[in-house]
């Protein structure tokens, strides 16, 4: 019994969506190109066999579904373009998209004309349909075979941009063929290009402005991206048909180029939508195919496909790479890899639908037969052999050995430069702070504004594919460990390193189940060290050892021996250093107390008790350090064990604590007039050095306390402090009084 039209439409669309998703999942599970299963599944589900998918039931809706879906797919392709990939092979990419397109178009047209006697117009139309390679097949292939980054970038850019170019040439040829008016076709072509570029640019910048002005709620971001892509496509098509594909590709590229913070979320969503649409389209279009048409294609068809793969593509590549730095192996590989995908299939089916009923030298379905034959041959043959061919030519990416340094503050940048220049490693710096990554790029480092918690970056971005080791240097110990846990499956447990706050006093060792090896065990918070380097109170130096394990000034952080990096991981069991090793050493200069007082204050106070003196000190330090909470500081004082009122004798006390909100030490010198009595102390209290240090900087904290102790043990120095006037006078006393250890 024949189903009502609405039921046939529902069955067709529902089966196509469900079948496309299921076959795509299966293809990924068994590591096959999805297009193979989708084409086979479409034929099996179509009228030729099971009959659940009836494309004819969609009528005029089918071309609309195909055009809109291709537009969304190309928008997602534009989002994934990376200018760094273009810069690595810009000359070759430009030639492939200009000279290479012409060579492919005319070469394929000549083959069709000679072998099938179609006439020049129809041969040019057939040749235009197989210009495109397409990101839908290139992307998964590149992800699987893992070739060198330069080749990866060339193939990726060619695959995305050539879609829009090929579609426009195909439309030009179709109009020329269908209307038999060359001048009108050329004029319409130019108008489409201009309209597509203009509307695409406006749409892309409108999209960015909506994000920049925070006009899109976070929970609507993905739907907004989808709606914007559809709007740009439909608006362009309303002005001039067949220009929407260029518009959405350009809009996607503009958004990807500007790298808004929301781009990652948008890319993930659009990638999922693209997978859904590719499955839908291939099922619908493959269901239209008549297998008998491939039987009549015969040996001439096989010869045509072979010539396209073995003659036209190599000619395209070798002409496009003349004078380029590509090796002959790289050129040979590019010559072999050019699989066609959904855009070629979609345009062929659309043209066949439009030409139904026309009287031609060959049936209109010839275009589908020719195009799908090229698709199947290139996807199956090249898809299965590309990995082995790359390995044979020595073009597979070696196991990644580059470093990713997480954090772009000044200290992290100096560490990254040491790894790059001394260990001769590939190094990239990653931070969500765009100002810091900008400073890193200004210093010549590869720096990306990304969230290091996203380990999927290794699959999506070419720059991350060289990461084999990770060093997490944020101030947050828990975040560093979490980052290491996310990347463990990518780089291996032994290649993860992280800074962690100073261990507890009981000397607990690193947990066996923790992620990443703890490095720089005596180091203060990285931001604290960065601030000291910026203020020239600390410096990172590279030294070369003249003998085995010699004594040297400073704290060693990293050693390099024969280009191999050795991290200083445990202060209790330092690595054995040898002659010739190059070390990155942190030296923190003296004057800890002077710098702390400069960040703090000098006050005179009358107090009845030491607690009142504390309140005076806290009020003074909060005034100089607005980031410090007076309430929190007072709370820390009142809680037992939080503050330690160390009594030095000579009428001096050093109450001290740590604060998580400070980036540098601060000290308030309270001169008590008159001195106050303290229980169990023989001398009245005259000086109170109230010291607060950043959490995680015991080295600087203890060094400052040591300077206070040595200073106050000197009778002349104490007298000078007592008689000094304002803070400037006290600082001058500290400058001229030696307090080194």
């Amino acid at each position: 019994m024949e189903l009502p039209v609405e039921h046939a439409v529902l069955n067709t669309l529902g089966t196509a969506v469900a079948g496309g998703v299921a076959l795509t999942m299966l293809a990924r599970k068994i590591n096959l190109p999805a297009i193979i299963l989708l084409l086979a599944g479409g034929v099996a589900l179509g009228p030729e066999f099971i009959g659940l998918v009836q494309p004819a039931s969609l009528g005029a809706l089918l071309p609309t579904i195909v055009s809109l879906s291709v537009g969304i797919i190309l928008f997602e392709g534009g989002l994934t373009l990376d200018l760094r990939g273009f810069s690595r092979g810009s000359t070759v990419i430009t030639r492939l998209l200009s000279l290479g397109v012409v060579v492919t178009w005319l070469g394929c047209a000549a083959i069709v004309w000679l072998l099938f006697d179609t006439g020049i117009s129809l041969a040019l139309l057939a040749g235009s349909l197989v210009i495109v390679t397409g990101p839908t097949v290139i992307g998964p292939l590149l992800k699987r075979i893992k070739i060198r980054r330069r080749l990866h970038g060339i193939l990726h850019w060619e695959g995305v941009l050539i879609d829009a170019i090929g579609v426009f040439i195909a439309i030009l040829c179709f109009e020329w063929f269908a209307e038999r008016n060359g001048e009108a076709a050329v004029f319409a072509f130019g108008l489409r290009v201009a309209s597509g570029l203009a509307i695409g640019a406006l749409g892309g910048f409108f999209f960015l402005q909506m994000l920049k002005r925070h006009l899109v709620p976070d929970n609507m971001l993905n739907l907004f991206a989808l709606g914007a892509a559809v709007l740009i496509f439909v608006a362009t098509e309303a002005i001039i048909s067949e220009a929407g594909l260029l518009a959405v590709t350009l809009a996607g590229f503009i958004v990807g180029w500007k790298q808004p913070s929301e781009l990652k979320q948008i890319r993930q969503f659009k990638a999922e939508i693209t997978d859904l649409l590719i499955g839908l389209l291939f099922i619908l279009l493959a269901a239209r195919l008549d297998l008998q048409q491939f039987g009549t294609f015969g040996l001439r068809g096989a010869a045509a496909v072979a010539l396209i793969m073995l003659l036209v593509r190599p000619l395209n590549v070798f002409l496009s790479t003349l004078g380029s730095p590509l090796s002959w192996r790289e050129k040979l590989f590019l010559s072999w890899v050019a699989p066609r995908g959904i855009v070629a299939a979609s345009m062929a089916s659309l043209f066949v639908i439009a030409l139904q009923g026309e009287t031609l030298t060959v049936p209109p379905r010839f275009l589908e037969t020719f195009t799908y034959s090229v698709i199947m041959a290139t996807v199956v043959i090249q898809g299965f052999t590309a990995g082995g061919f790359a390995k044979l030519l020595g073009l597979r990416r070696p196991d990644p050995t580059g470093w990713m340094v997480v954090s772009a503050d000044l200290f992290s940048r100096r560490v990254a430069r040491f790894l790059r220049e001394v260990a001769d490693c590939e190094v990239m710096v990653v931070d969500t702070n765009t100002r810091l990554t900008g400073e890193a790029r200004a210093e010549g480092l590869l720096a990306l504004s990304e969230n290091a918690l996203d380990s999927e970056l290794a699959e999506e971005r070419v720059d991350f594919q060289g990461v084999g080791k990770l060093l997490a240097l944020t101030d947050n110990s828990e975040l560093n460990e979490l980052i290491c846990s996310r990347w463990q499956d990518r780089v291996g447990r032994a290649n993860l390193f992280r800074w962690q706050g100073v261990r507890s006093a009981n000397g607990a060792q690193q947990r066996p189940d923790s992620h990443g090896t703890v490095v720089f065990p005596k180091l203060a918070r990285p931001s604290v060290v960065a601030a000291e380097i910026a203020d020239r109170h600390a410096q990172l130096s590279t030294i070369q050892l003249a003998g085995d394990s010699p004594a040297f000034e400073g704290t060693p952080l990293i050693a390099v021996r024969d280009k191999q990096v050795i991290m200083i991981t445990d202060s209790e069991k330092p690595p054995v250093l040898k002659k010739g090793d190059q070390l990155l050493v942190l030296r923190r200069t003296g004057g800890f107390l002077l710098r702390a007082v400069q960040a703090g204050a000098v006050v005179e106070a009358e107090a009845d008790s030491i607690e009142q003196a504390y309140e005076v000190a806290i009020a003074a330090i909060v005034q100089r350090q607005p980031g410090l909470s007076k309430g929190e500081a007072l709370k820390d004082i009142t809680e037992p064990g939080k503050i330690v009122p160390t009594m030095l004798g000579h009428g001096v006390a050093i109450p001290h604590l740590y604060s998580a909100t400070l980036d540098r030490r601060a000290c308030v010198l309270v001169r008590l007039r008159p001195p106050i009595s303290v229980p169990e102390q023989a001398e009245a209290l005259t000086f109170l050095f109230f010291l607060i240090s950043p959490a995680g900087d015991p080295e600087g904290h203890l060094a400052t306390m040591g300077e206070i102790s040595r200073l106050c043990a000197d009778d002349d120095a104490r007298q000078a402090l007592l008689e000094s006037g304002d803070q400037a006078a006290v600082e001058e006393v500290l400058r001229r009084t030696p307090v080194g250890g």
Side-chain angles (χ1 to χ4, degrees):
M1 184 179 69
E2 187 175 345
L3 291 173
V5 173
E6 59 271 20
H7 287 182
V9 171
L10 182 61
N11 283 350
T12 295
L13 290 178
T15 304
V17 169
V21 171
L23 291 172
T24 301
M25 291 170 53
L26 178 60
R28 292 185 179 176
K29 187 73 173 177
I30 61 179
N31 202 26
L32 271 179
I35 189 173
I36 297 174
L37 295 186
L38 290 171
L39 286 175
V43 172
L45 292 170
E48 291 275 302
F49 292 98
I50 301 175
L52 289 175
V53 177
Q54 299 285 342
S57 67
L58 299 176
L61 185 60
L62 179 60
T64 303
I65 293 174
V66 172
S67 297
L68 183 57
S69 298
V70 171
I72 295 172
I73 290 169
L74 292 184
F75 181 74
E76 192 271 340
L79 290 174
T80 63
L81 290 176
D82 183 356
L83 285 174
R84 285 175 291 274
F86 184 83
S87 64
R88 274 189 282 270
S90 57
T91 301
V92 173
I93 295 169
T94 303
R95 290 180 184 174
L96 285 171
L97 297 174
S98 52
L99 174 63
V101 165
V102 175
V103 170
T104 301
W105 177 27
L106 299 182
C108 294
I111 290 170
V112 171
W113 180 62
L114 290 171
L115 292 179
F116 297 97
D117 192 25
T118 59
I120 293 178
S121 296
L122 186 59
L124 287 172
L125 178 57
S128 70
L129 290 171
V130 293
I131 289 173
V132 297
T133 54
T136 59
V137 285
I138 283 289
L141 177 63
L142 294 177
K143 186 180 292 187
R144 191 173 74 249
I145 64 177
K146 298 185 180 350
I147 55 174
R148 291 179 182 175
R149 278 189 280 177
R150 179 164 61 180
L151 290 176
H152 185 289
I154 290 172
L155 288 172
H156 179 63
W157 271 83
E158 180 195 21
V160 174
L161 292 183
I162 207 170
D163 270 351
I165 296 171
V167 165
F168 269 65
I169 293 176
I171 293 169
L172 171 65
C173 292
F174 180 77
E175 287 197 346
W176 191 309
F177 176 79
E179 302 295 335
R180 307 291 197 271
N181 187 334
E183 290 184 3
V186 172
F187 176 76
F189 175 77
L191 191 60
R192 284 190 175 93
V193 171
S195 301
L197 291 175
I199 299 174
L202 287 174
F205 283 108
F206 168 77
F207 190 105
L208 289 170
Q209 287 301 311
M210 291 289 288
L211 297 183
K212 183 178 180 180
R213 299 175 186 276
H214 305 290
L215 298 177
V216 183
D218 291 342
N219 59 353
M220 294 289 291
L221 183 62
N222 292 333
L223 292 179
F224 169 72
L226 178 61
V230 172
L231 176 62
I232 293 168
F233 178 81
V234 171
T236 311
E237 291 288 308
I239 296 172
I240 180 168
S241 64
E242 313 303 339
L245 297 181
L246 177 60
V248 291
T249 302
L250 179 61
F253 170 69
I254 289 173
V255 175
W257 169 45
K258 288 297 185 179
Q259 296 281 316
S261 59
E262 301 88 351
L263 182 59
K264 174 63 183 176
Q265 180 181 342
I266 296 172
R267 276 177 174 166
Q268 288 177 333
F269 175 70
K270 295 293 287 182
E272 293 173 357
I273 292 294
T274 296
D275 286 338
L276 175 67
L277 293 177
I278 290 171
L280 169 68
L281 290 183
F282 267 121
I283 295 290
L284 288 177
L285 297 179
R288 293 185 68 258
L289 299 177
D290 180 355
L291 296 184
Q292 291 183 353
Q293 67 191 83
F294 292 93
T296 59
F297 202 44
L299 292 177
R300 286 185 301 173
V305 173
L307 287 172
I308 290 171
M309 293 174 61
L310 301 176
L311 177 61
V312 176
R313 176 63 178 182
L315 182 62
N316 170 358
V317 169
F318 276 89
L319 288 177
S320 299
T321 57
L322 282 176
S324 74
L326 293 179
S327 67
W328 69 267
R329 291 183 178 86
E330 291 173 310
K331 295 178 183 179
L332 195 59
F333 181 79
L334 290 175
S335 299
W336 181 241
V337 178
R340 275 64 171 183
I342 189 61
V343 176
S346 300
M347 297 307 296
S349 295
L350 288 174
F351 290 166
V352 169
I353 292 171
L355 291 173
Q356 284 178 348
E358 295 282 339
T359 302
L360 306 175
T361 55
V362 295
R365 276 191 176 270
F366 168 81
L367 293 174
E368 266 185 339
T369 307
F370 169 70
T371 304
Y372 278 86
S373 296
V374 174
I375 291 172
M376 286 301 297
T378 54
V379 169
V380 173
I381 298 173
Q382 295 173 355
F384 281 110
T385 61
F389 195 43
K391 185 176 182 180
L392 179 66
L393 294 174
L395 300 177
R396 297 288 291 270
R397 283 199 310 270
D399 291 337
T401 57
W403 283 85
M404 182 169 78
V405 178
V406 183
S407 179
D409 62 28
L410 182 57
F411 168 67
S412 301
R413 300 199 302 267
R414 297 288 174 83
V415 170
R417 286 168 56 185
F418 174 83
L419 291 171
R420 185 188 66 182
E421 296 167 6
V422 177
D424 195 23
C425 299
E426 288 188 22
V427 181
M428 67 186 311
V429 173
V430 177
D431 201 313
T432 55
N433 187 315
T434 55
R435 177 183 63 81
L436 292 178
T437 53
E439 292 175 0
R441 285 191 288 270
E443 294 178 6
L445 292 167
L446 171 60
L448 302 179
S449 300
E450 296 284 358
N451 187 345
L453 286 171
D454 182 11
S455 60
E456 293 300 318
L457 290 167
E459 296 292 344
E460 298 173 359
R461 300 283 297 275
V462 176
D463 287 311
F464 285 87
Q465 292 169 1
V467 173
K469 300 176 187 294
L470 182 146
L471 175 60
L473 291 178
T474 77
D475 281 0
N476 188 322
S477 300
E478 290 75 18
L479 176 60
N480 290 338
E481 184 171 1
L482 182 58
I483 291 171
C484 288
S485 71
R486 296 286 178 86
W487 284 83
Q488 182 166 298
D489 291 340
R490 302 279 179 183
V491 304
R493 188 185 185 96
N495 296 317
L496 297 167
F497 304 92
R498 61 186 172 90
W499 175 86
Q500 178 176 287
V502 176
R503 302 175 192 174
S504 58
N506 61 13
Q509 298 298 309
Q510 184 176 341
R511 303 189 321 272
D513 61 341
S514 63
H515 301 277
T517 302
V518 176
V519 296
F520 316 154
K522 289 186 176 181
L523 191 71
R525 283 207 325 265
S527 64
V528 173
V529 179
E532 291 192 352
I533 293 173
D535 294 338
R536 299 185 180 182
H537 299 149
Q539 63 179 4
L540 285 169
S541 304
T542 301
I543 64 172
Q544 187 166 13
L545 299 185
D548 290 345
S549 299
F552 52 85
E553 181 184 353
T555 303
L557 303 178
I558 306 173
V560 174
R561 179 183 305 154
D562 298 327
K563 301 299 183 182
Q564 298 298 310
V565 176
I566 304 170
M567 288 287 176
I568 310 299
T569 59
D570 194 328
S571 59
E572 298 173 0
K573 298 179 181 179
V576 177
L577 302 176
K578 298 182 178 180
K579 181 179 180 180
D581 288 354
Q582 291 179 283
L583 301 183
L584 180 66
V585 176
L586 174 67
R587 295 189 178 98
R588 304 173 82 178
T589 60
F592 288 88
L593 176 58
L594 173 60
R595 296 196 297 272
V597 170
Q598 288 172 334
V602 176
V603 296
E604 305 278 341
E606 293 185 13
D608 296 329
S609 66
I610 193 170
E611 287 77 17
Q612 286 186 5
Y614 288 166
E615 293 188 21
V616 170
I618 288 176
I621 207 166
V622 168
Q623 187 175 3
R624 293 294 302 273
Q625 300 288 336
L628 188 65
S629 166
K630 182 177 181 180
E632 288 294 324
L634 286 171
K635 180 181 177 183
D636 287 342
I637 288 177
T638 57
E639 289 185 12
K642 283 280 187 161
I643 189 167
V644 183
T646 304
M647 301 295 180
L648 296 181
H650 307 292
V652 178
I654 315 177
H656 55 98
L657 53 80
Y658 291 96
S659 170
T661 61
L662 292 184
D663 285 334
R664 60 192 66 196
R665 287 172 303 283
C667 181
V668 175
L669 170 57
V670 181
R671 293 183 292 196
L672 297 166
R673 303 179 189 272
I676 60 175
S677 299
V678 178
E680 301 181 2
Q681 295 294 316
E683 297 181 72
L685 193 60
T686 304
F687 295 104
L688 196 72
F689 288 87
F690 191 94
L691 176 65
I692 302 183
S693 294
D697 185 19
E699 182 182 13
H701 189 78
L702 294 175
T704 307
M705 292 181 63
E707 288 189 3
I708 296 172
S709 178
R710 289 187 291 274
L711 174 75
C712 294
D714 186 322
D715 293 339
D716 294 335
R718 288 199 314 278
Q719 189 62 31
L721 287 177
L722 194 61
E723 295 175 355
S724 299
D726 57 11
Q727 180 163 340
V730 170
E731 291 177 7
E732 183 58 33
V733 171
L734 298 179
R735 284 191 186 92
R736 67 171 185 260
T737 305
V739 291

